[in-house]
Amino acid sequence: MNFAKQQAIDLFGEEEEDQTNPNPQDPTHQSSTSATSSSASSSAASSSAASSSASSSSSNSQSASDDDEVHSFNNNISHSINNYDDQNYYNNNDGSNNLSIRNNSNAYSELFGNESDEEEAEVEIDKDLFGSDNEDYVKTPLVSPYPVPVLPQVRSSNNNPRGGLGRGRWNNDRGGPGLLPRPGPYPQRQGYGYGRGNNFNVPRDERLVADMKFAKSEETLARKCIQFQAPCELACYSRAEGGDVYFDDRSLRLFKRLITEDIGADLNEGFDTFVEKKDLGSKGFGDLLTSIRNKNIPLQNMHFVTYRNNLNKILATAYIRHEPWEMGVHRRKGVVYLDVHKLPERPQSEMERRRSYWGYCFETLATEDPNRFDGEGIHDVDANVEFCSVLKTKLGAHRILMGAEMDCCDSTDDGKRFYVELKTSRELEYHTEERFEREKLLKFWIQSFLAGVPYIVIGYRDDAGRLVRTERLRTKDITQRVKAKNYWQGGVCLAFADEVLCWLYGTVKENQDYILQFAPPFTRLELLQAQSCPVEIDEHVEQL
């Protein structure tokens, strides 16, 4: 792929004024390759990162005003891109001792171009917590020996002492039911969440195989230190117009560094010719499995094969407990396949369809399009054209192969490619900023962190769909931004997901099919017996 160099706006340049450099002597900012890594080594790495950051920012100590933003970004584009450090992306991500990242430089080089000693990296790849033959893990008993994983208790941000106002009216301060029924678009199912031995005469769901109740506190999960391996790209595929799939990067778009010049653009442009995204069902998962076979990626020692979207749901459930989801679970030859299930949605209004389009329009606006001439408007936006990266990673002891759709990419001057996530959001106000940081930033961080995406570019729009400003975020800085406000911790999400995967892998049986769901009243995860397996998975297993 040819990447044209541009003298352009530097969305990846200057550091934000309000971000602080982590103290290299504070053990809460250290990252290790295992739970017993040397603190001296971590401190040295953190000090080196801090020195590099200080050196990088010293030449840009004077921040430009809003009117001089374009001039400031232009002066710093080459300095920022050349000093991009992919290794530091997985250092000090969380700012707390419950998040441990294991750097695998040789594996990560395919995605970010790191150079490392081949022999040492090869030893690192072969190192396995369960042995090279994987026998101990595959023989995990059907009844999991691990403690039942649970969610942290919900922390209410309502400081009003009167229980009859705000959120407090649904539950009183004694833990009993509130005066009014809990609101929500999803009605409670009969018998959901009640114990079997109580005096509730409620029929049991015959499909229920196992459930996972939530009681463990956030502090308990925060004390765990879960390793996460830097993701390594093994393959990719593109879906072009018309739905044809190619095992290359032809649909990968290049980030447009001049995006700030488009502030004021109308994101409604091109809505009349918009091609909405089709629900491919299990066929989309079949494309991922085909790309795995096309590259001959071995699955003998793999534990989970999934789209990133399923992992997003599991990690986010540690804090976001009002959004239902479900996924298919199918175990074949020791590998658990997690298939994406889309829940039924009510018909969207015209305005809701427009809001959905604004996100696609911003992605088109923020990427280079060789077929669109200068000054030409946005048109023929097709949500079905996409690029997907196939990544290998490891969360705790679980080896995961996942597909992740990537919005666009950029490259350093020496040719190292990295991905960029594009998001849109309504312009923040004082009463919407907290929810944005509690929920949206959590989702942004999970999605980018799992796939090793170092940068997120957000386009803020007004209620009419006009782009009012853009913001560049470094993925590794998001957890520091919310840490001071105690909204959420990335390490808690990883610890919860690790326990869910332990429970799930130890519960599902070979050649059996299930549905894992999180549904109202949102007090537990349910594993239900399914009646069938997607034909794409069966055909994939036959061809291995």
Side-chain angles (χ1 to χ4, degrees):
M1 173 179 297
N2 295 324
F3 298 99
K5 297 181 181 178
Q6 306 176 46
Q7 186 69 20
I9 309 305
D10 178 15
L11 286 177
F12 307 120
E14 298 180 352
E15 303 290 334
E16 286 98 344
E17 289 280 337
D18 59 347
Q19 293 175 349
T20 58
N21 191 26
N23 182 1
Q25 302 301 326
D26 186 350
T28 61
H29 294 288
Q30 297 174 1
S31 174
S32 60
T33 60
S34 68
T36 59
S37 296
S38 167
S39 61
S41 174
S42 299
S43 297
S46 300
S47 298
S48 175
S51 299
S52 174
S53 175
S55 175
S56 174
S57 60
S58 61
S59 62
N60 300 305
S61 57
Q62 299 296 326
S63 61
S65 64
D66 292 340
D67 295 336
D68 296 332
E69 181 184 20
V70 173
H71 177 72
S72 174
F73 282 162
N74 278 330
N75 288 338
N76 291 280
I77 184 68
S78 20
H79 174 77
S80 170
I81 296 298
N82 283 325
N83 283 277
Y84 165 68
D85 185 357
D86 52 8
Q87 192 116 21
N88 282 338
Y89 169 70
Y90 278 94
N91 290 331
N92 297 328
N93 264 285
D94 187 59
S96 61
N97 60 358
N98 57 21
L99 177 58
S100 175
I101 308 300
R102 179 158 66 92
N103 285 294
N104 187 331
S105 299
N106 187 54
Y108 211 26
S109 63
E110 296 186 38
L111 179 59
F112 285 95
N114 282 346
E115 295 181 2
S116 62
D117 185 86
E118 295 182 359
E119 294 181 358
E120 293 182 2
E122 187 174 350
V123 172
E124 184 69 21
I125 292 175
D126 292 338
K127 184 178 180 181
D128 190 340
L129 296 179
F130 286 88
S132 59
D133 58 0
N134 198 40
E135 290 183 359
D136 290 341
Y137 196 90
V138 172
K139 293 179 180 178
T140 302
L142 297 181
V143 178
S144 175
Y146 297 95
V148 177
V150 290
L151 286 176
Q153 298 177 356
V154 175
R155 295 172 303 172
S156 174
S157 59
N158 178 29
N159 296 322
N160 195 316
R162 298 177 60 187
L165 298 177
R167 299 178 184 177
R169 61 183 175 179
W170 310 114
N171 291 92
N172 57 42
D173 55 2
R174 299 178 181 84
L179 298 177
L180 299 177
R182 181 175 294 278
Y186 303 98
Q188 295 188 9
R189 291 177 293 155
Q190 293 297 323
Y192 186 91
Y194 291 108
R196 304 290 180 261
N198 295 335
N199 295 325
F200 296 98
N201 187 17
V202 178
R204 177 183 183 275
D205 191 335
E206 295 299 328
R207 300 177 301 162
L208 183 64
V209 176
D211 62 355
M212 195 180 74
K213 297 180 176 64
F214 308 141
K216 190 177 297 184
S217 68
E218 179 182 0
E219 288 73 17
T220 301
L221 290 173
R223 286 195 292 268
K224 300 188 65 174
C225 183
I226 302 301
Q227 295 179 345
F228 184 83
Q229 187 181 63
C232 165
E233 185 176 58
L234 302 181
C236 67
Y237 65 92
S238 299
R239 181 172 286 106
E241 292 183 8
D244 294 333
V245 176
Y246 302 89
F247 301 109
D248 53 35
D249 60 358
R250 67 183 64 190
S251 295
L252 178 60
R253 296 176 289 187
L254 179 64
F255 177 71
K256 184 174 70 176
R257 299 175 184 172
L258 292 166
I259 180 59
T260 51
E261 289 187 350
D262 292 309
I263 291 177
D266 185 4
L267 298 180
N268 292 284
E269 190 174 8
F271 175 71
D272 295 336
T273 58
F274 174 51
V275 180
E276 297 187 37
K277 196 174 185 67
K278 301 176 182 177
D279 183 12
L280 298 176
S282 297
K283 182 180 181 300
F285 195 42
D287 294 333
L288 171 62
L289 299 178
T290 304
S291 69
I292 293 173
R293 297 194 305 273
N294 181 70
K295 283 292 185 179
N296 295 318
I297 300 175
L299 297 179
Q300 299 93 307
N301 293 330
M302 202 63 63
H303 304 133
F304 292 91
V305 176
T306 179
Y307 271 115
R308 175 182 56 181
N309 188 29
N310 285 329
L311 298 180
N312 293 346
K313 296 172 183 175
I314 293 175
L315 268 73
T317 302
Y319 289 97
I320 301 177
R321 296 164 59 179
H322 58 273
E323 298 181 0
W325 53 261
E326 71 174 43
M327 64 185 73
V329 182
H330 314 275
R331 183 165 180 164
R332 299 293 186 273
K333 294 184 178 180
V335 180
V336 177
Y337 297 88
L338 303 180
D339 187 20
V340 174
H341 284 189
K342 186 176 181 181
L343 294 177
E345 298 178 351
R346 60 178 176 81
Q348 289 186 323
S349 65
E350 178 76 6
M351 180 53 66
E352 288 173 332
R353 292 179 60 245
R354 282 188 178 274
R355 291 195 185 105
S356 176
Y357 172 74
W358 292 343
Y360 290 108
C361 184
F362 176 71
E363 290 180 5
T364 303
L365 202 65
T367 53
E368 301 286 354
D369 185 355
N371 299 321
R372 191 172 73 244
F373 300 102
D374 291 340
E376 185 179 1
I378 303 296
H379 57 82
D380 298 330
V381 177
D382 189 345
N384 300 284
V385 177
E386 60 184 10
F387 168 81
C388 187
S389 174
V390 182
L391 305 164
K392 178 185 71 173
T393 187
K394 195 170 185 178
L395 195 160
H398 317 287
R399 287 185 296 276
I400 301 171
L401 192 62
M402 67 178 174
E405 182 182 352
M406 299 296 184
D407 293 331
C408 63
C409 72
D410 202 343
S411 64
T412 59
D413 288 343
D414 57 358
K416 293 182 180 180
R417 187 173 82 180
F418 57 92
Y419 295 113
V420 180
E421 189 72 31
L422 301 175
K423 296 293 184 183
T424 54
S425 176
R426 184 177 181 272
E427 177 63 298
L428 301 180
E429 300 174 359
Y430 74 94
H431 61 280
T432 62
E433 184 175 2
E434 178 179 343
R435 183 176 180 182
F436 173 81
E437 293 182 340
R438 282 187 181 274
E439 297 188 9
K440 274 201 170 183
L441 277 188
L442 173 61
K443 293 180 179 180
F444 292 174
W445 177 82
I446 290 174
Q447 183 174 359
S448 299
F449 177 82
L450 287 177
V453 179
Y455 291 104
I456 304 170
V457 175
I458 305 176
Y460 293 94
R461 49 85 182 169
D462 60 19
D463 291 335
R466 191 168 298 277
L467 185 65
V468 296
R469 68 181 176 98
T470 61
E471 180 183 14
R472 176 268 301 165
L473 293 177
R474 290 191 303 181
T475 303
K476 69 175 185 178
D477 291 337
I478 293 179
T479 49
Q480 290 292 333
R481 173 172 172 175
V482 300
K483 179 186 176 184
K485 300 177 181 179
N486 198 28
Y487 287 159
W488 51 267
Q489 299 180 62
V492 170
C493 297
L494 290 178
F496 173 72
D498 178 65
E499 292 192 333
V500 170
L501 296 182
C502 284
W503 169 74
L504 192 60
Y505 196 91
T507 302
V508 299
K509 299 178 181 180
E510 182 68 23
N511 295 324
Q512 294 293 315
D513 306 300
Y514 309 86
I515 294 175
L516 178 65
Q517 69 176 17
F518 184 53
F522 306 114
T523 59
R524 64 179 183 177
L525 293 181
E526 288 185 324
L527 188 64
L528 308 178
Q529 191 73 46
Q531 301 301 320
S532 62
C533 178
V535 64
E536 289 80 6
I537 296 179
D538 286 335
E539 292 178 351
H540 165 74
V541 174
E542 291 176 359
Q543 298 180 49
L544 290 178

